[in-house]
Amino acid sequence: MKPIIAITMGDPAGIGPEVIVKAFATKEIYAICRPVVTGASEWMTHAASLFAPTLLVCPRKQISECEFVPGHMEVLEVGALGLPPVQYGHPDSEGGFTAMRAIELATRLAMAKEVDAVVTAPINKEALKKIGFAHPGHTEFLAHLARVKSFGMLMVGGGLKIMLTTIHLSLREAISQIRKEAIEEKIALTHEALKKDFGLPYGKIAVAGLNPHAGEGGLFGREEIEEIAPAVLASKVLGMNVSGPYPADTLFSRLKQGQFDAAVALYHDQALIPIKLLAFGSGINVTVGLPFIRTSVDHGTAYDIAGKGIADEGSLKEAVTLAASMAVSRKRFEKLL
């Protein structure tokens, strides 16, 4: 059976509903999975009327009611009836609450194993903060819902898989948090993801250096000697196929050439620059460490173009495709246990 994928609506004032209905209007995603949306059927119906008029939106109360028929988009309802019209480009509290409830529902379904993976459309962190959302973003919220403390952001795109050691921090603060224990955690998460979700039980992992030339033996900094290399060695002792640290200015070229299966980067831009250079608009954010599969588009709510019919659904399709592939790999892995 094809995996069941729950796709969250995202911020209704952004481009999430548009890219979702455009993706459902084709038969592509039905060929690889059984997709269902969590969100407000009224707002999804409105989006379909504007951007995919041949698509039939079907409200559902539970997964068992879904038929997964191409041309029909089934929506597991989280919104109240009689919602106000969407004002594209202008987020409000009702939309924020509904987006949050859509994430919560998809997570519950995944935790209960009623769906095989979750794909998230973009939310707006600033808008959610106004309604008391206490998390920096999707990743941290999902980890909170799943009650896990060890998790990470794996960026996939352009033939690259790159784990981030630190995420949304100033560069000064990120450097202060590059410690042996944190790097070991991310190496372990990368190892588990390659094994379970990508069918690579002996996947090669490379760790980037922080300083130019990976510190040049301490000439340009001692982080490689004191924190990064010890983390690599400790992970090797545990049986992981990891090496480094390597100079970051050549590592990602080697990763692209296939010398490694994944890399661990140390700060946000070190990871995102190669991904966005090679896969701008189609890169995928994977949250690893959760008890379920989660992928996400690598773009925001794009309020400036919301409602104009020009949003590209390509990244959403890529996120669904990757989630479906990971779900198949994970099922194979679980059968071997």
Side-chain angles (χ1 to χ4, degrees):
M1 293 287 284
K2 297 172 189 173
I4 300 176
I5 310 293
I7 303 167
T8 66
M9 178 183 67
D11 187 331
I15 64 171
E18 177 182 342
V19 297
I20 291 171
V21 298
K22 284 180 174 179
F24 270 81
T26 70
K27 295 182 178 180
E28 293 174 45
I29 61 173
Y30 289 95
I32 58 171
C33 71
R34 292 174 286 165
V36 62
V37 175
T38 60
S41 60
E42 284 188 52
W43 283 337
M44 295 308 300
T45 298
H46 178 68
S49 70
L50 294 175
F51 312 119
T54 62
L55 185 67
L56 180 62
V57 177
C58 306
R60 302 291 189 228
K61 293 182 179 179
Q62 53 193 12
I63 285 287
S64 60
E65 298 176 358
C66 295
E67 298 176 345
F68 308 110
V69 177
H72 295 64
M73 182 175 70
E74 294 168 299
V75 179
L76 294 173
E77 189 67 69
V78 300
L81 295 177
L83 289 168
V86 172
Q87 298 294 319
Y88 290 114
H90 300 282
D92 59 26
S93 59
E94 187 68 46
F97 277 119
T98 305
M100 190 165 62
R101 288 193 290 265
I103 299 167
E104 291 171 339
L105 175 56
T107 300
R108 287 198 302 272
L109 293 170
M111 295 286 284
K113 298 191 181 300
E114 291 188 55
V115 301
D116 299 297
V118 173
V119 175
T120 56
I123 57 174
N124 182 272
K125 302 176 186 69
E126 294 300 319
L128 284 171
K129 281 182 182 179
K130 294 177 182 178
I131 61 170
F133 188 76
H135 306 277
H138 253 132
T139 301
E140 294 83 0
F141 184 40
L142 288 162
H144 166 75
L145 293 173
R147 298 181 181 178
V148 298
K149 293 185 178 180
S150 179
F151 58 92
M153 180 185 292
L154 179 71
M155 301 304 302
V156 179
L160 309 179
K161 298 180 185 71
I162 306 177
M163 171 68 75
L164 282 72
T165 301
T166 63
I167 305 177
H168 297 121
L169 300 172
S170 71
L171 185 56
R172 186 185 301 275
E173 187 175 356
I175 292 171
S176 74
Q177 292 195 18
I178 295 170
R179 294 289 179 261
K180 175 178 177 288
E181 295 76 15
I183 299 165
E184 285 182 59
E185 178 190 49
K186 302 309 181 192
I187 293 171
L189 287 168
T190 306
H191 171 75
E192 286 299 304
L194 290 176
K195 180 172 62 174
K196 292 180 180 178
D197 301 326
F198 295 95
L200 298 169
Y202 306 105
K204 295 181 181 179
I205 303 168
V207 179
L210 173 67
N211 298 296
H213 303 175
E216 197 77 79
L219 184 63
F220 303 136
R222 295 192 58 81
E223 286 85 358
E224 284 78 9
I225 295 171
E226 296 174 358
E227 306 292 344
I228 305 171
V232 171
L233 179 59
S235 301
K236 277 185 176 181
V237 170
L238 293 176
M240 297 173 209
N241 191 2
V242 59
S243 58
Y246 297 104
D249 60 354
T250 57
L251 170 58
F252 300 109
S253 175
R254 296 177 65 186
L255 180 63
K256 176 65 176 174
Q257 292 167 12
Q259 295 182 33
F260 308 104
D261 297 299
V264 175
L266 301 177
Y267 57 91
H268 183 276
D269 285 10
Q270 189 181 63
L272 271 292
I273 287 172
I275 290 287
K276 293 195 174 182
L277 176 65
L278 296 174
F280 190 81
S282 62
I284 305 303
N285 176 357
V286 179
T287 304
V288 296
L290 299 174
F292 56 88
I293 294 163
R294 179 262 178 156
T295 68
S296 179
V297 295
D298 187 28
H299 62 69
T301 50
Y303 291 136
D304 57 324
I305 64 169
K308 296 181 179 178
I310 58 175
D312 187 345
E313 71 275 20
S315 184
L316 181 74
K317 288 181 178 179
E318 292 286 345
V320 172
T321 300
L322 180 59
S325 173
M326 291 173 67
V328 171
S329 289
R330 184 168 292 196
K331 284 187 176 181
R332 287 174 181 163
F333 175 79
E334 289 172 349
K335 284 182 179 179
L336 295 174
L337 297 180

